[in-house]
Coordinates of all heavy atoms in Angstrom, one line a residue:
M1 N 0.8 -1.2 0.0 CA 0.0 0.0 0.0 C 0.9 1.2 0.0 O 1.8 1.4 0.8 CB -0.9 0.0 1.2 CG -1.6 1.3 1.5 SD -2.5 1.2 3.0 CE -3.7 2.4 2.6
P2 N 0.7 2.2 -0.9 CA 1.5 3.4 -0.9 C 1.1 4.4 0.1 O -0.1 4.5 0.4 CB 1.3 3.9 -2.4 CG 0.0 3.4 -2.8 CD -0.2 2.1 -2.1
W3 N 2.0 5.0 0.7 CA 1.8 6.1 1.7 C 2.5 7.4 1.2 O 3.4 7.3 0.3 CB 2.3 5.8 3.1 CG 1.7 4.6 3.7 CD1 0.4 4.2 3.7 CD2 2.4 3.7 4.6 NE1 0.3 3.1 4.5 CE2 1.5 2.7 5.0 CE3 3.7 3.6 5.0 CZ2 1.8 1.7 5.9 CZ3 4.0 2.5 5.9 CH2 3.1 1.6 6.3
Q4 N 2.1 8.5 1.7 CA 2.7 9.8 1.3 C 3.1 10.6 2.5 O 2.3 10.6 3.5 CB 1.7 10.6 0.4 CG 2.4 11.8 -0.2 CD 1.5 12.5 -1.2 OE1 0.3 12.2 -1.3 NE2 2.1 13.3 -2.1
L5 N 4.2 11.2 2.4 CA 4.7 12.1 3.5 C 5.3 13.3 2.8 O 6.0 13.2 1.8 CB 5.8 11.4 4.3 CG 6.4 12.2 5.4 CD1 6.7 11.3 6.6 CD2 7.7 12.9 5.0
L6 N 4.9 14.5 3.2 CA 5.4 15.8 2.7 C 6.3 16.4 3.7 O 5.9 16.8 4.7 CB 4.2 16.7 2.3 CG 3.2 16.2 1.3 CD1 2.1 17.1 1.1 CD2 3.9 15.9 0.0
F7 N 7.5 16.6 3.3 CA 8.6 17.2 4.1 C 9.1 18.4 3.3 O 9.6 18.3 2.3 CB 9.7 16.1 4.3 CG 10.8 16.6 5.2 CD1 10.7 16.6 6.6 CD2 12.0 17.1 4.6 CE1 11.8 17.0 7.4 CE2 13.1 17.5 5.4 CZ 12.9 17.5 6.8
T8 N 8.9 19.6 3.9 CA 9.2 20.8 3.2 C 9.5 21.9 4.1 O 9.3 21.8 5.3 CB 8.0 21.2 2.2 OG1 8.4 22.2 1.4 CG2 6.8 21.6 3.0
S9 N 9.8 23.1 3.6 CA 10.0 24.2 4.4 C 8.7 24.9 4.6 O 8.0 25.2 3.7 CB 11.0 25.2 3.7 OG 11.2 26.4 4.5
A10 N 8.3 25.1 5.9 CA 7.0 25.7 6.2 C 7.1 26.4 7.5 O 7.9 26.2 8.4 CB 6.0 24.5 6.3
P11 N 6.1 27.4 7.7 CA 6.1 28.1 9.0 C 5.7 27.3 10.2 O 6.0 27.6 11.3 CB 5.1 29.2 8.8 CG 4.5 29.1 7.4 CD 5.2 27.9 6.7
A12 N 5.0 26.1 9.9 CA 4.5 25.2 11.0 C 4.4 23.8 10.4 O 3.9 23.7 9.3 CB 3.2 25.7 11.6
G13 N 4.8 22.8 11.2 CA 4.7 21.4 10.8 C 3.6 20.7 11.5 O 2.8 21.3 12.3
L14 N 3.5 19.4 11.3 CA 2.5 18.6 12.1 C 2.8 18.5 13.5 O 1.9 18.5 14.4 CB 2.4 17.2 11.5 CG 1.8 17.0 10.1 CD1 1.8 15.6 9.7 CD2 0.4 17.5 10.1
V15 N 4.1 18.5 13.9 CA 4.5 18.4 15.3 C 4.5 19.9 15.8 O 5.1 20.7 15.3 CB 5.9 17.8 15.5 CG1 6.3 17.8 16.9 CG2 5.9 16.4 14.9
P16 N 3.7 20.1 16.9 CA 3.7 21.5 17.4 C 5.1 22.0 17.8 O 5.9 21.3 18.3 CB 2.8 21.3 18.7 CG 2.0 20.1 18.5 CD 2.9 19.2 17.6
G17 N 5.3 23.3 17.4 CA 6.6 23.9 17.7 C 7.6 23.7 16.6 O 8.7 24.3 16.7
R18 N 7.4 22.9 15.6 CA 8.4 22.7 14.5 C 8.1 23.6 13.4 O 6.9 23.8 13.0 CB 8.4 21.2 14.1 CG 8.9 20.3 15.2 CD 9.3 19.0 14.8 NE 10.4 19.0 13.7 CZ 10.7 17.9 13.0 NH1 10.1 16.8 13.2 NH2 11.6 18.0 12.1
S19 N 9.1 24.1 12.8 CA 9.0 25.0 11.6 C 10.3 24.8 10.8 O 11.2 24.1 11.2 CB 8.8 26.4 12.0 OG 9.9 26.9 12.7
G20 N 10.4 25.5 9.7 CA 11.5 25.3 8.8 C 11.3 24.0 8.0 O 10.1 23.7 7.6
F21 N 12.3 23.2 7.8 CA 12.1 21.9 7.1 C 11.5 20.9 8.1 O 12.2 20.6 9.1 CB 13.4 21.4 6.5 CG 13.8 22.1 5.2 CD1 14.6 23.2 5.2 CD2 13.2 21.7 4.0 CE1 14.9 23.8 4.0 CE2 13.5 22.3 2.8 CZ 14.3 23.4 2.8
C22 N 10.3 20.5 7.8 CA 9.6 19.6 8.7 C 8.5 18.9 7.9 O 8.2 19.2 6.8 CB 9.0 20.3 9.9 SG 7.9 21.7 9.4
T23 N 7.9 17.9 8.5 CA 6.8 17.1 7.9 C 5.5 18.0 8.1 O 5.2 18.4 9.2 CB 6.6 15.8 8.6 OG1 7.8 15.0 8.3 CG2 5.4 15.0 8.0
V24 N 4.9 18.3 7.0 CA 3.7 19.1 7.0 C 2.4 18.2 6.7 O 1.3 18.7 7.0 CB 3.7 20.3 6.0 CG1 4.8 21.2 6.4 CG2 3.9 19.8 4.6
A25 N 2.6 17.0 6.2 CA 1.4 16.1 5.9 C 2.0 14.7 5.8 O 3.1 14.5 5.3 CB 0.7 16.5 4.7
R26 N 1.2 13.8 6.3 CA 1.6 12.4 6.1 C 0.4 11.4 6.3 O -0.6 11.8 6.9 CB 2.7 12.0 7.1 CG 2.2 12.0 8.6 CD 3.2 11.6 9.5 NE 2.9 10.3 10.1 CZ 3.2 10.0 11.4 NH1 4.0 10.8 12.1 NH2 2.9 8.8 11.8
H27 N 0.5 10.2 5.8 CA -0.5 9.2 6.0 C -0.4 8.7 7.4 O 0.7 8.5 7.9 CB -0.3 8.0 5.0 CG -1.4 7.1 5.0 ND1 -1.6 6.1 5.9 CD2 -2.4 7.0 4.1 CE1 -2.7 5.4 5.6 NE2 -3.2 5.9 4.5
R28 N -1.5 8.6 8.1 CA -1.5 8.2 9.6 C -0.9 6.8 9.8 O -0.5 6.5 10.9 CB -2.8 8.4 10.2 CG -3.9 7.4 9.6 CD -5.2 7.5 10.3 NE -6.3 7.1 9.4 CZ -7.1 7.9 8.8 NH1 -7.1 9.2 9.0 NH2 -8.0 7.4 7.9
A29 N -0.8 6.0 8.8 CA -0.3 4.6 9.0 C 1.2 4.5 9.0 O 1.8 3.5 9.3 CB -0.9 3.6 8.0
I30 N 1.9 5.6 8.6 CA 3.4 5.5 8.6 C 3.9 5.5 10.0 O 3.6 6.4 10.8 CB 4.0 6.8 7.8 CG1 3.4 6.9 6.4 CG2 5.5 6.7 7.8 CD1 3.8 8.1 5.7
P31 N 4.7 4.5 10.3 CA 5.3 4.3 11.7 C 6.2 5.5 12.0 O 6.9 6.1 11.1 CB 6.1 3.0 11.6 CG 5.6 2.3 10.5 CD 5.1 3.3 9.5
E32 N 6.2 5.9 13.3 CA 7.0 7.1 13.7 C 8.5 6.9 13.4 O 9.1 7.9 13.0 CB 6.8 7.3 15.2 CG 5.5 7.9 15.6 CD 5.2 9.3 15.0 OE1 6.2 10.1 14.9 OE2 4.1 9.6 14.7
R33 N 9.0 5.7 13.5 CA 10.5 5.5 13.3 C 10.8 5.7 11.8 O 11.8 6.1 11.4 CB 11.0 4.2 13.8 CG 10.3 3.0 13.2 CD 10.8 1.8 13.9 NE 10.1 0.6 13.3 CZ 10.3 -0.6 13.7 NH1 11.1 -0.9 14.7 NH2 9.6 -1.6 13.2
L34 N 9.8 5.3 10.9 CA 10.0 5.5 9.5 C 9.9 7.0 9.1 O 10.7 7.5 8.3 CB 8.9 4.7 8.7 CG 9.0 4.8 7.2 CD1 10.4 4.3 6.7 CD2 7.9 4.0 6.5
V35 N 9.0 7.8 9.8 CA 8.9 9.2 9.6 C 10.3 9.8 9.9 O 10.8 10.6 9.2 CB 7.8 9.8 10.4 CG1 7.9 11.4 10.4 CG2 6.5 9.4 9.9
A36 N 10.8 9.5 11.1 CA 12.1 10.0 11.5 C 13.2 9.7 10.5 O 14.1 10.6 10.2 CB 12.5 9.5 12.9
A37 N 13.2 8.5 10.0 CA 14.3 8.1 9.1 C 14.1 8.8 7.7 O 15.1 9.3 7.2 CB 14.2 6.6 8.8
I38 N 12.9 9.0 7.3 CA 12.7 9.8 6.0 C 13.1 11.2 6.2 O 13.7 11.8 5.3 CB 11.2 9.7 5.6 CG1 10.9 8.2 5.2 CG2 10.9 10.6 4.5 CD1 9.4 8.0 4.9
E39 N 12.8 11.8 7.3 CA 13.2 13.2 7.6 C 14.7 13.3 7.6 O 15.3 14.3 7.0 CB 12.6 13.7 8.9 CG 11.2 14.0 8.9 CD 10.6 14.4 10.2 OE1 11.3 14.3 11.2 OE2 9.4 14.9 10.2
R40 N 15.4 12.3 8.1 CA 16.9 12.4 8.2 C 17.5 12.3 6.8 O 18.6 12.9 6.5 CB 17.5 11.2 9.0 CG 17.5 11.5 10.5 CD 18.3 10.5 11.3 NE 17.9 9.1 11.0 CZ 17.0 8.4 11.6 NH1 16.3 9.0 12.6 NH2 16.7 7.2 11.3
I41 N 16.9 11.6 5.9 CA 17.5 11.4 4.5 C 16.9 12.4 3.5 O 17.3 12.4 2.4 CB 17.3 10.0 4.0 CG1 15.8 9.7 3.8 CG2 18.0 9.0 4.9 CD1 15.6 8.3 3.0
S42 N 16.1 13.3 4.0 CA 15.4 14.2 3.0 C 16.1 15.6 3.0 O 15.4 16.6 2.9 CB 13.9 14.4 3.4 OG 13.3 13.1 3.2
I43 N 17.4 15.7 3.0 CA 18.1 16.9 2.9 C 18.1 17.4 1.5 O 18.5 16.6 0.6 CB 19.5 16.8 3.5 CG1 19.5 16.3 4.9 CG2 20.3 18.1 3.4 CD1 18.7 17.1 5.9
Y44 N 17.6 18.6 1.2 CA 17.6 19.1 -0.2 C 18.7 20.1 -0.4 O 18.8 21.1 0.3 CB 16.2 19.7 -0.5 CG 16.1 20.3 -1.8 CD1 16.1 19.5 -2.9 CD2 16.0 21.7 -2.0 CE1 16.0 20.1 -4.2 CE2 15.9 22.2 -3.3 CZ 15.9 21.4 -4.4 OH 15.9 22.0 -5.6
E45 N 19.5 19.8 -1.4 CA 20.5 20.8 -1.9 C 20.2 21.1 -3.3 O 20.3 20.2 -4.2 CB 21.9 20.2 -1.7 CG 22.2 20.0 -0.3 CD 23.7 19.5 -0.1 OE1 24.5 19.7 -1.0 OE2 23.9 18.8 0.9
P46 N 19.7 22.3 -3.7 CA 19.3 22.5 -5.0 C 20.4 22.4 -6.0 O 21.5 22.9 -5.8 CB 18.8 24.0 -5.0 CG 19.3 24.5 -3.7 CD 19.6 23.4 -2.8
P47 N 20.1 21.7 -7.1 CA 21.1 21.6 -8.2 C 21.2 22.9 -9.0 O 20.3 23.7 -9.0 CB 20.6 20.4 -9.1 CG 19.1 20.4 -8.8 CD 18.9 20.9 -7.4
A48 N 22.2 23.0 -9.8 CA 22.4 24.3 -10.6 C 21.3 24.4 -11.6 O 20.8 25.5 -11.9 CB 23.8 24.3 -11.2
A49 N 20.8 23.3 -12.1 CA 19.8 23.4 -13.2 C 18.4 23.6 -12.7 O 17.5 23.8 -13.4 CB 19.9 22.1 -14.1
R50 N 18.2 23.4 -11.4 CA 16.8 23.6 -10.7 C 15.8 22.7 -11.3 O 14.6 23.1 -11.5 CB 16.4 25.1 -10.8 CG 17.3 26.0 -10.0 CD 16.8 27.4 -10.0 NE 15.6 27.4 -9.3 CZ 15.3 28.3 -8.4 NH1 16.1 29.3 -8.1 NH2 14.2 28.3 -7.7
I51 N 16.2 21.4 -11.6 CA 15.2 20.5 -12.1 C 14.9 19.5 -10.9 O 15.7 19.3 -10.0 CB 15.7 19.7 -13.3 CG1 17.1 19.0 -12.9 CG2 15.9 20.6 -14.5 CD1 17.6 18.1 -14.0
P52 N 13.7 18.9 -10.9 CA 13.4 17.9 -9.8 C 14.3 16.7 -9.9 O 14.8 16.3 -11.0 CB 12.0 17.5 -10.1 CG 11.5 18.4 -11.2 CD 12.6 19.0 -11.8
I53 N 14.6 16.2 -8.7 CA 15.5 15.0 -8.6 C 14.6 13.9 -8.0 O 13.9 14.1 -7.0 CB 16.7 15.3 -7.7 CG1 17.6 16.3 -8.3 CG2 17.5 14.0 -7.4 CD1 18.6 16.8 -7.3
F54 N 14.7 12.7 -8.6 CA 14.0 11.5 -8.0 C 15.0 10.5 -7.5 O 16.0 10.3 -8.2 CB 13.1 10.9 -9.1 CG 12.0 11.8 -9.6 CD1 12.2 12.7 -10.6 CD2 10.7 11.8 -9.0 CE1 11.2 13.6 -11.0 CE2 9.7 12.6 -9.4 CZ 9.9 13.5 -10.4
T55 N 14.7 9.9 -6.4 CA 15.5 8.9 -5.8 C 14.6 7.7 -5.3 O 13.5 7.9 -5.0 CB 16.4 9.4 -4.6 OG1 15.5 9.7 -3.5 CG2 17.2 10.5 -5.0
Y56 N 15.2 6.5 -5.3 CA 14.5 5.4 -4.7 C 15.5 4.7 -3.8 O 16.6 4.4 -4.1 CB 14.1 4.4 -5.8 CG 13.4 3.2 -5.3 CD1 12.0 3.3 -5.0 CD2 14.0 2.0 -5.0 CE1 11.3 2.3 -4.4 CE2 13.3 0.9 -4.5 CZ 12.0 1.1 -4.2 OH 11.3 0.0 -3.7
R57 N 15.0 4.5 -2.5 CA 15.9 3.9 -1.5 C 15.1 2.8 -0.8 O 13.9 2.8 -0.8 CB 16.3 4.9 -0.5 CG 17.1 6.1 -1.0 CD 17.3 7.1 0.0 NE 17.9 8.3 -0.6 CZ 18.5 9.2 0.1 NH1 18.7 9.1 1.3 NH2 19.0 10.3 -0.6
H58 N 15.8 1.9 -0.2 CA 15.3 0.8 0.7 C 15.6 1.1 2.1 O 16.8 1.4 2.4 CB 15.8 -0.5 0.3 CG 15.4 -1.0 -1.0 ND1 14.2 -1.7 -1.2 CD2 15.9 -0.9 -2.2 CE1 14.0 -1.9 -2.5 NE2 15.1 -1.5 -3.1
L59 N 14.6 1.1 3.0 CA 14.9 1.2 4.4 C 14.3 0.0 5.1 O 13.3 -0.5 4.8 CB 14.2 2.5 5.0 CG 14.7 3.8 4.5 CD1 13.9 5.0 5.1 CD2 16.2 4.0 4.9
S60 N 15.1 -0.5 6.1 CA 14.7 -1.7 6.8 C 14.7 -1.5 8.3 O 15.7 -0.8 8.8 CB 15.5 -2.9 6.5 OG 15.4 -3.2 5.1
F61 N 13.8 -2.0 9.0 CA 13.7 -2.0 10.5 C 13.4 -3.4 10.9 O 12.2 -3.8 10.9 CB 12.7 -1.0 11.0 CG 12.9 0.4 10.6 CD1 12.2 1.0 9.5 CD2 13.8 1.2 11.3 CE1 12.4 2.3 9.2 CE2 14.0 2.5 10.9 CZ 13.3 3.1 9.8
G62 N 14.4 -4.2 11.3 CA 14.1 -5.6 11.6 C 13.6 -6.3 10.4 O 14.2 -6.3 9.4
D63 N 12.4 -6.9 10.6 CA 11.8 -7.6 9.4 C 10.9 -6.8 8.6 O 10.2 -7.3 7.7 CB 11.1 -8.9 10.0 CG 10.0 -8.6 10.9 OD1 9.8 -7.4 11.3 OD2 9.2 -9.5 11.2
E64 N 10.8 -5.5 8.8 CA 10.0 -4.6 8.0 C 10.8 -3.9 7.0 O 11.9 -3.3 7.3 CB 9.3 -3.6 8.9 CG 8.3 -4.2 9.9 CD 7.8 -3.1 10.9 OE1 8.4 -2.1 11.0 OE2 6.7 -3.4 11.5
H65 N 10.4 -3.9 5.7 CA 11.2 -3.4 4.6 C 10.3 -2.4 3.9 O 9.1 -2.6 3.6 CB 11.7 -4.4 3.7 CG 12.4 -5.5 4.4 ND1 13.8 -5.4 4.7 CD2 12.1 -6.7 4.8 CE1 14.2 -6.4 5.3 NE2 13.2 -7.3 5.4
Y66 N 10.9 -1.2 3.6 CA 10.1 -0.2 2.9 C 10.9 0.3 1.7 O 12.1 0.5 1.7 CB 9.9 1.0 3.9 CG 9.2 0.7 5.1 CD1 9.9 0.4 6.3 CD2 7.8 0.6 5.1 CE1 9.2 0.1 7.5 CE2 7.1 0.3 6.3 CZ 7.8 0.0 7.5 OH 7.2 -0.3 8.6
G67 N 10.2 0.6 0.6 CA 10.8 1.2 -0.6 C 10.3 2.7 -0.5 O 9.2 3.0 -0.4
I68 N 11.3 3.6 -0.6 CA 11.0 5.0 -0.5 C 11.3 5.7 -1.8 O 12.5 5.8 -2.3 CB 11.9 5.7 0.6 CG1 11.8 4.9 1.9 CG2 11.6 7.2 0.8 CD1 10.5 4.9 2.6
L69 N 10.3 6.3 -2.5 CA 10.4 7.0 -3.7 C 10.3 8.5 -3.3 O 9.3 8.9 -2.7 CB 9.4 6.7 -4.7 CG 9.3 7.5 -6.0 CD1 10.6 7.3 -6.8 CD2 8.1 7.1 -6.8
S70 N 11.3 9.3 -3.6 CA 11.4 10.7 -3.2 C 11.5 11.6 -4.4 O 12.1 11.2 -5.4 CB 12.5 11.0 -2.3 OG 12.5 10.2 -1.1
R71 N 10.9 12.7 -4.3 CA 11.0 13.8 -5.3 C 11.5 15.0 -4.6 O 10.9 15.5 -3.6 CB 9.7 14.1 -6.0 CG 9.9 15.2 -7.0 CD 8.5 15.7 -7.5 NE 8.7 16.8 -8.5 CZ 8.8 18.1 -8.2 NH1 8.8 18.5 -6.9 NH2 8.9 19.0 -9.1
Y72 N 12.7 15.5 -5.0 CA 13.2 16.7 -4.4 C 13.1 17.8 -5.5 O 13.5 17.6 -6.6 CB 14.7 16.5 -4.1 CG 15.0 15.4 -3.1 CD1 15.1 14.1 -3.5 CD2 15.1 15.7 -1.8 CE1 15.3 13.1 -2.6 CE2 15.3 14.7 -0.8 CZ 15.5 13.4 -1.3 OH 15.7 12.4 -0.4
G73 N 12.7 19.0 -5.1 CA 12.6 20.1 -6.0 C 12.4 21.4 -5.4 O 11.9 21.5 -4.2
D74 N 12.7 22.5 -6.0 CA 12.5 23.8 -5.6 C 11.1 24.3 -6.0 O 10.8 24.3 -7.1 CB 13.6 24.7 -6.2 CG 13.6 26.1 -5.6 OD1 12.6 26.5 -4.9 OD2 14.6 26.8 -5.8
A75 N 10.3 24.7 -5.0 CA 9.0 25.2 -5.3 C 8.9 26.7 -5.4 O 7.9 27.2 -5.5 CB 8.0 24.7 -4.2
G76 N 10.1 27.3 -5.2 CA 10.1 28.8 -5.2 C 9.6 29.4 -3.9 O 9.4 28.7 -2.9
L77 N 9.3 30.7 -3.9 CA 8.8 31.3 -2.7 C 7.4 31.1 -2.6 O 6.5 31.5 -2.4 CB 9.2 32.8 -2.7 CG 10.7 33.0 -2.7 CD1 11.0 34.5 -2.8 CD2 11.3 32.5 -1.4

């Protein structure tokens, strides 16, 4: 089942008191430890060409395995 998590720069995130780069929306079934891992690997460094970058990674926690498809891009101001 696909889930979605939006991690971006925002004045306020889902967690009270968080701002800047933080999770602003997510599927409620995503485990907290997976959210934390996705946030750690979601550092965005804009490329010179300003085109979206797509990545695919595997994350594992014990016997649970996840495929993470990410899109990184500049949304402007």
Side-chain angles (χ1 to χ4, degrees):
M1 167 184 208
W3 296 325
Q4 187 172 19
L5 181 143
L6 300 176
F7 182 80
T8 189
S9 179
L14 287 180
V15 177
R18 292 197 56 194
S19 63
F21 280 96
C22 56
T23 297
V24 296
R26 68 176 246 210
H27 192 280
R28 66 178 153 251
I30 302 175
E32 288 296 327
R33 63 183 176 183
L34 182 57
V35 171
I38 292 170
E39 288 179 346
R40 279 193 305 274
I41 64 172
S42 295
I43 304 301
Y44 175 69
E45 295 182 26
R50 298 184 67 134
I51 57 172
I53 298 169
F54 294 89
T55 64
Y56 183 79
R57 301 175 190 199
H58 292 275
L59 294 178
S60 297
F61 300 100
D63 61 348
E64 297 174 340
H65 305 281
Y66 301 96
I68 309 297
L69 176 63
S70 300
R71 178 190 180 273
Y72 300 86
D74 187 345
L77 297 174

